[in-house]
Amino acid sequence: MELTDEDVREILELIDKSDFDYFEIDYRGLRLTVSKTPLAAPAPPASPAAAPQPEPAPGKRPRRATPDGLIAIPAPMVGTFYPAPSPGAEPFVGPGDRVEPDTTVGLIEVMKVFTAVAAGVTGIVEEALAGEAEGVEYGAPLFLVRPDAP
């Protein structure tokens, strides 16, 4: 059975009507990747730099205070973080890259469903904090961004 143009259109229509942000299928050598424009990531919680941080779960990276002048891009959900669209591909963003609120900075996978993570801020990426296939918790900082001056 071959995948026809009509099949592809039907898949695109189904994805468009779904809650999925990112979808990828590889069928008999045809790779179809669909990414919707993601919603802005939730704003990071405001907290003093000296506030105590909870102990991380075993195997998780401990959280650290966000340096003054930088904004953390938080994980919008618990899952596995991927900084690139596929293994071996270039990361969506890295240090020195400019991001806008709707810039995709990575993907979080939960039960084989991938959700795009949006920067939610305009500025320059200073540091990537989460690595390839790293488990992240809700609100965990993924990147540090130096925001544009207001």
Side-chain angles (χ1 to χ4, degrees), residues 13-150:
E13 186 176 321
L14 289 170
I15 296 302
D16 189 46
K17 292 179 181 177
S18 76
D19 291 333
F20 293 122
D21 287 327
Y22 182 87
F23 176 80
E24 186 172 283
I25 185 171
D26 194 343
Y27 181 77
R28 295 186 180 181
L30 170 68
R31 176 178 237 154
L32 176 65
T33 303
V34 180
S35 179
K36 293 180 183 179
T37 302
L39 299 174
S47 63
Q53 299 292 322
E55 288 296 314
K60 304 276 185 186
R61 181 181 302 183
R63 287 194 190 184
R64 64 181 192 180
T66 302
D68 286 342
L70 299 181
I71 294 177
I73 298 175
M77 65 186 67
V78 174
T80 304
F81 179 75
Y82 295 95
S86 61
E90 288 292 315
F92 288 105
V93 297
D97 288 343
R98 179 167 191 71
V99 294
E100 300 290 330
D102 63 348
T103 301
T104 298
V105 297
L107 303 171
I108 294 183
E109 182 252 333
V110 179
M111 298 178 65
K112 304 295 181 195
V113 175
F114 291 83
T115 301
V117 178
V121 64
T122 300
I124 304 295
V125 175
E126 291 284 322
E127 186 177 355
L129 302 174
E132 175 74 26
E134 183 174 323
V136 294
E137 297 181 14
Y138 173 79
L142 304 174
F143 294 89
L144 294 178
V145 174
R146 182 163 310 282
D148 286 352

